[in-house]
Amino acid sequence: MTETLYERIQEERAKYPPDSRSAVMPALRLAQDEYGWLSPEALREVADALEVTPAFCKSIASFYDQFHLAPVGEHLVEVCTNVSCAVVGAQQVVEAFERELGCRAGETSPDGRATLRTVECLGGCGWATIVSLDHHYRTHVKPEDVPGIVEELRGE
Ligand code: FES
């Protein structure tokens, strides 16, 4: 039998007695894994399971890039545009993804295949430009690499 989201959240909650608010991060992650993003309904489900308000859950979720408050594509493409990546052409990499995916940074491609985001330092400054594809890093990415990367995403 599969555990419900409520039951899994209770397991996380039990790790943080006596204040269930401390379990909000793992609980949000569980809900996002379940639904793909954190809709108002998902936030309410988390809030009910932790006996906190949906507003509290949303305040935490909206602070962290890792949580999605809008639907996302099948794949998540994140391009670091922080200093080390910026100086070797991260913006051109972003623009190449925008052309290939047919959407702007912060949006999802019309075919729903990928969501493109720009992010702060991913910790791979020595291998700039870093692109995270579903949390797997590609290093030294150049604009000319982008069509092949998008082809890979579409081929899956
Ligand atoms: S600045 Fe891009 S990985 Fe650090």
Side-chain angles (χ1 to χ4, degrees):
M1 190 174 105
T2 340
E3 280 185 304
T4 65
L5 177 60
Y6 179 86
E7 290 166 336
R8 282 179 280 142
I9 290 175
Q10 295 314 308
E11 284 174 16
E12 290 302 321
R13 187 178 174 182
K15 296 176 187 171
Y16 301 93
D19 188 352
S20 63
R21 287 181 302 175
S22 301
V24 68
M25 294 282 286
L28 290 169
R29 193 167 49 248
L30 286 169
Q32 184 165 279
D33 288 347
E34 178 93 6
Y35 300 116
W37 66 292
L38 295 170
S39 65
E41 294 75 22
L43 289 171
R44 172 159 292 285
E45 213 174 323
V46 172
D48 289 348
L50 293 178
E51 296 179 78
V52 297
T53 65
F56 172 73
C57 293
K58 188 173 182 183
S59 72
I60 302 296
S62 62
F63 184 78
Y64 293 98
D65 271 350
Q66 72 200 72
F67 295 121
H68 310 304
L69 293 171
V72 292
E74 293 167 42
H75 299 284
L76 185 58
V77 178
E78 296 174 306
V79 182
C80 172
T81 52
N82 216 310
V83 178
S84 297
C85 291
V87 296
V88 295
Q91 187 54 40
Q92 287 73 36
V93 172
V94 172
E95 289 164 10
F97 273 110
E98 289 178 332
R99 278 193 303 277
E100 291 299 317
L101 292 171
C103 66
R104 305 293 304 268
E107 297 176 349
T108 298
S109 60
D111 63 2
R113 194 60 92 142
T115 295
L116 175 63
R117 303 170 73 191
T118 58
V119 292
E120 297 299 319
C121 181
L122 289 169
C125 313
W127 299 273
T129 292
I130 299 290
V131 173
S132 169
L133 300 173
D134 297 326
H135 308 295
H136 297 284
Y137 287 6
R138 296 290 174 92
T139 59
H140 300 294
V141 177
K142 302 273 182 259
E144 55 269 28
D145 301 325
V146 170
I149 293 171
V150 170
E151 191 63 32
E152 279 178 47
L153 293 178
R154 292 205 166 112
E156 282 183 5

